[in-house]
Amino acid sequence: MKISIAMATYNGSRYLPEQLNSFLRQTRQPDELVVCDDCSTDGTLDILHRFQQQAPFPVFIYQNEKNLGFIRNFEKALTLCSGDILFLSDQDDVWFENRLAIIEQEFSAHPKKMVVLNDLEITTENLQPTGCRKLKNIHDLGFRSTYLITGCCTAIRREWRDIALPIPEVIGYHHIPHDIWINKLADLLGTRLIIERPLQFYRRHDNNTSSSPFNNISKTSKLKILISYGLKDTRESWMAKIAHTSLYLDRLEKSRSQIQSLGASERLDKAVIDLRNRLSALEQRLKIAAYPRWRRPPELLRFWLSGGYRNFAGWKSALKDMVYP
């Protein structure tokens, strides 16, 4: 298999050399590195051009004429890759020397998996290990492994790129980040594999694009998560989820022939049914949230008896719908 690394850069000169050097230390060298720079104004391009001269593998550097933002920049980098397996790379991490080799082996051992994701070890700004791992943080907060979605830990087959791209525009709501879109599509079809061991350092610093509580160095309590994310007015959130769910459904239906060629026909039919049911359930929860609290109990009971909360977290979701503002 041919391996490509798709890297997106933007003013990354402070940490970029360490990540590039970790590519050189790989026991299984990449077959190409494709870098799309999003109009950097620091020394990023100079670092990349020097690396291009010394790297033992081809390095292709593309400079955007205008700033695309990180989602479109990654999308462009993936599009320009020619490999069978495509690794997404941030500019400020450090990969363990066996990362490419291990993930290539996993793809070989699981030919029907389209996306492979590994855990990460969280470090300080100076790359000092903290003893924290993202997957452990997820489990400690009571969430399942499927909540592990991180672009810098993601590798995909070329066939999956052709299904997942382009990443859709979201009108009226926040965009779906490239890593969430790529990973959730694969989850819907059961074509994602999670390696529950860290294969890279993830550097925490002031300019990280991710603000996920799962990436925190300090311990985050379940109560703090509930206060921060679980007790807000849900109506805007439901409307955004309805818009996003519609986009996932649309992409699966439009990519039916490609997905069938991957041998995922049965999972596709189930995923389409599940998404349609979830859309209907989200619309019903939106209606419930519009009622004042004293009017909600009969609506909640009807929704519960119809099995609507099976699309969510059961009684926990019902309780949230009762107490939300």
Side-chain angles (χ1 to χ4, degrees), residues 63-250:
Q63 298 174 244
N64 297 336
E65 294 182 359
K66 62 177 182 179
N67 187 276
L68 301 179
F70 73 96
I71 296 175
R72 296 301 167 203
N73 200 28
F74 266 114
E75 181 180 68
K76 179 180 176 181
L78 286 169
T79 301
L80 292 167
C81 289
S82 62
D84 303 301
I85 304 299
L86 318 178
F87 285 74
L88 281 70
S89 173
D90 287 350
Q91 62 188 5
D92 50 4
D93 301 321
V94 172
W95 292 0
F96 298 174
E97 64 181 17
N98 57 354
R99 181 169 186 246
L100 292 185
I102 289 175
I103 292 181
E104 182 182 38
Q105 290 169 6
E106 294 294 340
F107 272 116
S108 296
H110 301 88
K112 291 189 176 181
K113 296 299 182 182
M114 296 291 113
V115 177
V116 175
L117 200 76
N118 59 265
D119 196 7
L120 54 80
E121 184 169 347
I122 304 169
T123 75
T124 66
E125 182 176 3
N126 297 319
L127 216 63
Q128 295 298 313
T130 63
C132 297
R133 292 167 46 192
K134 183 165 185 175
L135 197 54
K136 185 178 185 302
N137 286 350
I138 290 171
H139 292 162
D140 287 349
L141 289 169
F143 295 93
R144 302 184 305 274
S145 296
T146 52
Y147 278 78
L148 179 63
I149 295 179
T150 306
C152 65
C153 300
T154 299
I156 67 175
R157 292 188 191 271
R158 182 173 57 204
E159 297 93 327
W160 192 249
R161 175 197 64 186
D162 297 338
I163 291 172
L165 301 187
I167 298 165
E169 295 282 351
V170 183
I171 307 301
Y173 302 100
H174 63 82
H175 294 302
I176 304 176
H178 61 285
D179 52 350
I180 291 178
W181 175 256
I182 289 169
N183 279 275
K184 282 196 172 182
L185 267 180
D187 264 342
L188 289 168
L189 297 173
T191 59
R192 188 168 77 117
L193 175 68
I194 294 175
I195 302 174
E196 296 193 1
R197 59 182 284 193
L199 295 177
Q200 65 200 83
F201 288 130
Y202 178 80
R203 193 194 306 261
R204 291 298 291 164
H205 54 82
D206 292 339
N207 295 320
N208 286 122
T209 57
S210 172
S211 58
S212 168
F214 302 143
N215 294 331
N216 287 346
I217 295 173
S218 57
K219 186 175 179 61
T220 303
S221 69
K222 294 180 182 179
L223 178 60
K224 185 175 181 180
I225 294 291
L226 178 64
I227 293 173
S228 299
Y229 298 97
L231 294 178
K232 297 179 180 178
D233 189 328
T234 59
R235 282 167 286 190
E236 185 174 350
S237 172
W238 290 149
M239 288 187 286
K241 287 182 179 180
I242 288 170
H244 291 176
T245 302
S246 298
L247 291 171
Y248 286 114
L249 178 59
D250 182 67

Side-chain angles (χ1 to χ4, degrees), residues 3-9 15-35 48 51 54-59 87-100 152 199-200:
I3 289 180
S4 299
I5 299 175
M7 172 180 265
T9 60
Y15 305 119
L16 180 59
E18 289 176 285
Q19 173 69 322
L20 294 175
N21 287 333
S22 76
F23 298 161
L24 296 177
R25 293 193 298 270
Q26 292 297 304
T27 57
R28 198 295 193 194
Q29 288 282 281
D31 296 291
E32 67 174 6
L33 168 62
V34 175
V35 186
L48 289 171
F51 183 78
Q54 72 177 72
F57 45 81
V59 177
F87 285 74
L88 281 70
S89 173
D90 287 350
Q91 62 188 5
D92 50 4
D93 301 321
V94 172
W95 292 0
F96 298 174
E97 64 181 17
N98 57 354
R99 181 169 186 246
L100 292 185
C152 65
L199 295 177
Q200 65 200 83

